[in-house]
């Protein structure tokens, strides 16, 4: 008997779903006329006598509104754009209606309204999800994220947007329609049409794949459509100075106070491994004195949040004392902007006869390669001092250090030449 009741109940639910009334209309709110004479466009969803209203986010010239056709009259640019937005919004509402009904088995006007407003709705399109990520990321800039990283995400967003327009003729693409061919075409677009280097393409596709992982974690996707994609790995160049270059850079006489300041900040980072953002945050409270009288930097990295404990060697201690009279607050150094530092460093490099471009971040590579690993400091210790979340990141420096050893041994071999020879055991005169 219970089984029959359940069967009848299911039939009743199917009947309600099949014969539900669903209607969408648009109207303008003439009671809220703005100073420019425009009125906000409103939408109304009705399902089974339930009504939910929402703002369409569009302002309308009331004299051009056709209340019966739910559109604007005329062929002005404003009328065409508004009618296009209304059409897109109607298509989105229809799609939400079907998706909610398929996923939840029932539908209400309030559920559709919330989907349109973005309340409790998972992002279903790639750029839509990307935009959501960037907005969240922007709120963390200066706290746990850097502005430079945000600019990278925005750049990839814009390139993805352009790629969709050029190759697909669309403004966005549903996440569920993504296939392996999409990222392969995107790779070619960046490499061939945009002329980006292999290193830049690798960085851009890493960010794009991060959006897919976000979609999977939110439950929008159940598998990674780009799982089989293997990006071409650019050859990893040496990113640290040579020992000779560093010595020239440290010892060259510099008259300009601005150049000298940038050079000193670079050298300080070379002997501590601190990034530009962490140098800007470095304050007196980050300096601690050990039981044996030694001084340490104790700081949480802005990028990763990982705590770093870095011993202060003589050179960085001298730099701290040098700039102590110039402090304006609790910060150890008055840092100038990163672009200005880059310009100044390359002026110093020119004085040294160093032709290759010098970046501030190279100082961090110097610390890992020249100051620590090549001097026998264990990899685990270097990883902790640099605040790496992943041990594999530090292993990259170890690989570069082995390359440096090979280079140094080759130079040694050339210097030794034929100075040493094995004794001739077949010498019969003995």
């Amino acid at each position: 008997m219970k089984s029959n009741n359940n069967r009848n109940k299911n039939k009743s639910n199917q009947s309600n779903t099949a014969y539900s009334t669903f209607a969408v209309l648009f109207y303008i709110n003439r009671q809220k006329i703005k100073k420019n004479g425009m009125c906000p466009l409103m939408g109304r969803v009705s399902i089974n006598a339930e009504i939910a209203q929402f703002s369409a986010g569009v302002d309308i010239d009331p004299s051009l509104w056709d209340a019966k056709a739910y559109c604007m009259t005329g062929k002005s640019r404003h009328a065409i754009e508004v009618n296009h937005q209304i059409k897109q919004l109607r298509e989105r509402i229809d799609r939400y209606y079907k998706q909610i009904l398929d996923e939840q088995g029932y539908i209400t006007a309030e559920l559709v309204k919330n989907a349109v407003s973005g309340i409790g709705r998972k992002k279903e399109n790639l750029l839509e999800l990307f935009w959501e990520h960037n907005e969240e990321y922007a709120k963390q800039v200066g706290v746990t994220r850097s502005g430079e990283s945000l600019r990278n995400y925005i750049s990839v967003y814009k390139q993805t947007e352009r790629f969709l327009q050029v190759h697909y003729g669309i403004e966005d693409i549903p996440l569920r329609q993504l296939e392996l061919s999409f990222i392969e075409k995107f790779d070619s677009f960046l490499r061939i049409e945009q002329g980006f280097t292999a290193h830049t393409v690798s960085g851009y596709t890493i960010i794009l794949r991060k959006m897919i992982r976000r979609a999977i974690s939110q439950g929008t996707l159940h598998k990674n459509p780009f799982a089989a994609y293997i990006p071409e790995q650019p050859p990893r160049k040496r990113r640290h100075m040579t020992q000779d270059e560093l010595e020239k850079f440290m010892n060259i006489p510099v008259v300009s106070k601005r150049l000298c300041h940038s050079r000193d900040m670079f050298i300080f980072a070379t002997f501590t491994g601190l990034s530009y953002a962490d140098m800007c945050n470095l304050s007196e409270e980050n300096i601690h004195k050990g039981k044996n009288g030694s001084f340490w930097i104790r700081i949480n990295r802005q990028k990763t949040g990982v705590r770093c404990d870095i011993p202060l060697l003589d050179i960085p201690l001298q730099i701290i004392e040098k700039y102590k009279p110039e402090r304006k607050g609790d910060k150890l150094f008055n840092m100038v902007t990163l672009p200005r530092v880059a310009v100044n460093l390359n002026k110093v490099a020119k004085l040294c006869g160093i032709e290759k471009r010098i970046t501030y971040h190279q100082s961090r590579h110097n610390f890992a390669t020249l100051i620590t690993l090549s001097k026998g400091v264990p990899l685990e210790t270097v990883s902790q001092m640099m605040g790496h979340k992943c041990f594999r990141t530090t292993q990259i420096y170890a690989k570069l250090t082995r390359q440096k050893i090979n280079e140094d041994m080759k130079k040694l071999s050339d210097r030794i030449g034929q100075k040493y020879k094995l004794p001739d055991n077949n010498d019969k005169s003995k």
Side-chain angles (χ1 to χ4, degrees):
M1 191 68 179
K2 187 176 181 180
S3 177
N4 290 334
N5 288 337
N6 288 336
R7 193 178 298 115
N8 292 334
K9 186 177 180 181
N10 290 336
K11 286 182 179 180
S12 176
N13 287 339
Q14 291 172 3
S15 177
N16 290 337
T17 300
Y19 293 100
S20 64
T21 58
F22 171 51
V24 181
L25 62 84
F26 295 94
Y27 65 97
I28 58 174
N29 188 345
R30 296 181 182 272
Q31 295 179 347
K32 292 187 179 181
I33 301 177
K34 299 187 177 181
K35 290 182 180 180
N36 59 4
M38 307 286 267
C39 296
L41 178 66
M42 304 296 293
R44 180 182 294 157
V45 176
S46 60
I47 299 176
N48 290 338
E50 180 197 358
I51 295 174
Q53 300 178 126
F54 59 90
S55 172
V58 181
D59 291 335
I60 299 290
D61 182 348
S63 65
L64 300 177
W65 178 249
D66 186 336
K68 293 183 179 179
Y70 309 141
C71 67
M72 292 189 71
T73 59
K75 296 183 179 180
S76 67
R77 181 177 178 181
H78 176 60
I80 292 171
E81 288 179 353
V82 169
N83 288 337
H84 178 65
Q85 287 176 286
I86 293 172
K87 180 185 176 184
Q88 285 188 318
L89 184 54
R90 177 59 205 250
E91 290 174 352
R92 282 170 54 203
I93 292 171
D94 289 341
R95 188 167 68 249
Y96 295 149
Y97 176 86
K98 294 175 183 176
Q99 288 175 350
I100 295 170
L101 198 56
D102 289 342
E103 292 175 2
Q104 301 190 26
Y106 67 96
I107 191 75
T108 66
E110 190 68 19
L111 286 172
V112 176
K113 171 197 168 183
N114 289 343
V116 173
S117 303
I119 300 172
R121 183 179 63 84
K122 294 178 289 189
K123 305 303 181 185
E124 300 155 2
N125 299 322
L126 177 59
L127 290 182
E128 190 181 22
L129 181 73
F130 212 144
W131 184 269
E132 178 188 62
H133 168 274
N134 289 357
E135 283 190 322
E136 292 177 6
Y137 200 97
K139 294 176 183 177
Q140 301 175 53
V141 170
V143 183
T144 58
R145 297 290 184 265
S146 69
E148 184 64 29
S149 296
L150 176 62
R151 286 189 284 275
N152 289 337
Y153 281 110
I154 292 172
S155 180
V156 179
Y157 174 91
K158 290 180 178 178
Q159 289 297 336
T160 308
E161 184 179 43
R162 179 172 173 78
F163 171 67
L164 286 170
Q165 293 170 352
V166 172
H167 286 271
Y168 290 82
I170 56 178
E171 296 180 356
D172 206 345
I173 185 170
L175 288 159
R176 294 180 182 180
Q177 289 184 16
L178 292 175
E179 297 176 345
L180 176 62
S181 60
F182 181 89
I183 194 169
E184 290 177 338
K185 290 177 182 177
F186 184 62
D187 182 301
S188 298
F189 168 76
L190 296 174
R191 200 179 301 274
I192 299 171
E193 297 177 43
Q194 301 301 97
F196 291 153
T197 64
H199 181 77
T200 301
V201 172
S202 176
Y204 276 32
T205 53
I206 284 173
I207 289 177
L208 183 61
R209 285 179 287 166
K210 181 179 178 180
M211 297 306 119
I212 299 304
R213 292 197 298 273
R214 181 182 178 92
I216 292 173
S217 67
Q218 291 182 354
T220 309
L221 293 178
H222 300 295
K223 63 178 182 179
N224 187 348
F226 303 156
Y229 170 72
I230 303 176
E232 177 185 334
Q233 293 296 329
R236 193 170 290 277
K237 298 179 181 179
R238 185 185 68 197
R239 293 178 286 180
H240 61 274
M241 288 176 156
T242 65
Q243 191 67 45
D244 289 342
E245 287 171 343
L246 179 59
E247 289 177 6
K248 285 180 182 178
F249 202 83
M250 292 177 64
N251 297 321
I252 191 77
V254 177
V255 177
S256 168
K257 189 175 181 179
R258 290 182 294 105
L259 298 189
C260 190
H261 180 274
S262 295
R263 193 256 302 267
D264 287 344
M265 296 303 101
F266 181 87
I267 293 170
F268 186 91
T270 289
F271 282 85
T272 60
L274 291 180
S275 67
Y276 175 80
D278 294 329
M279 285 282 287
C280 291
N281 295 331
L282 192 63
S283 66
E284 293 179 1
E285 66 179 20
N286 297 126
I287 307 300
H288 297 266
K289 190 174 183 179
K291 293 180 180 179
N292 61 353
S294 61
F295 288 91
W296 292 71
I297 292 175
R298 184 174 297 164
I299 190 172
N300 292 332
R301 283 205 68 205
Q302 180 172 297
K303 183 177 180 180
T304 62
V306 176
R307 177 175 144 174
C308 306
D309 290 296
I310 309 162
L312 278 167
L313 303 176
D314 289 340
I315 289 177
L317 279 172
Q318 291 173 28
I319 294 174
I320 289 176
E321 286 301 314
K322 178 179 178 180
Y323 290 96
K324 194 172 183 179
E326 299 181 11
R327 292 181 197 168
K328 296 179 180 178
D330 67 332
K331 298 291 190 267
L332 292 190
F333 304 115
N334 303 323
M335 298 293 290
V336 299
T337 63
L338 190 56
R340 174 48 56 188
V341 172
V343 171
N344 292 343
L345 291 179
N346 282 284
K347 287 182 179 179
V348 177
K350 191 174 181 180
L351 293 175
C352 300
I354 300 173
E355 296 181 357
K356 68 182 182 183
R357 179 172 171 265
I358 302 296
T359 66
Y360 180 87
H361 196 66
Q362 244 178 340
S363 61
R364 192 164 159 82
H365 295 282
N366 289 345
F367 175 76
T369 307
L370 299 178
I371 307 302
T372 55
L373 289 171
S374 62
K375 300 296 189 293
V377 179
L379 201 62
E380 296 83 356
T381 304
V382 177
S383 181
Q384 191 279 326
M385 287 192 292
M386 297 191 74
H388 287 154
K389 267 188 174 181
C390 179
F391 191 68
R392 288 195 299 270
T393 306
T394 320
Q395 288 177 320
I396 293 171
Y397 295 105
K399 183 178 180 181
L400 291 172
T401 304
R402 287 195 293 273
Q403 291 175 354
K404 182 179 182 299
I405 292 172
N406 287 335
E407 293 170 6
D408 291 345
M409 289 305 294
K410 185 178 184 303
K411 290 178 183 177
L412 177 63
S413 177
D414 293 339
R415 249 192 327 265
I416 291 175
Q418 302 297 320
K419 287 184 179 179
Y420 299 94
K421 292 182 179 180
L422 284 172
D424 187 358
N425 294 327
N426 294 324
D427 190 351
K428 296 180 180 179
S429 61
K430 292 183 179 179

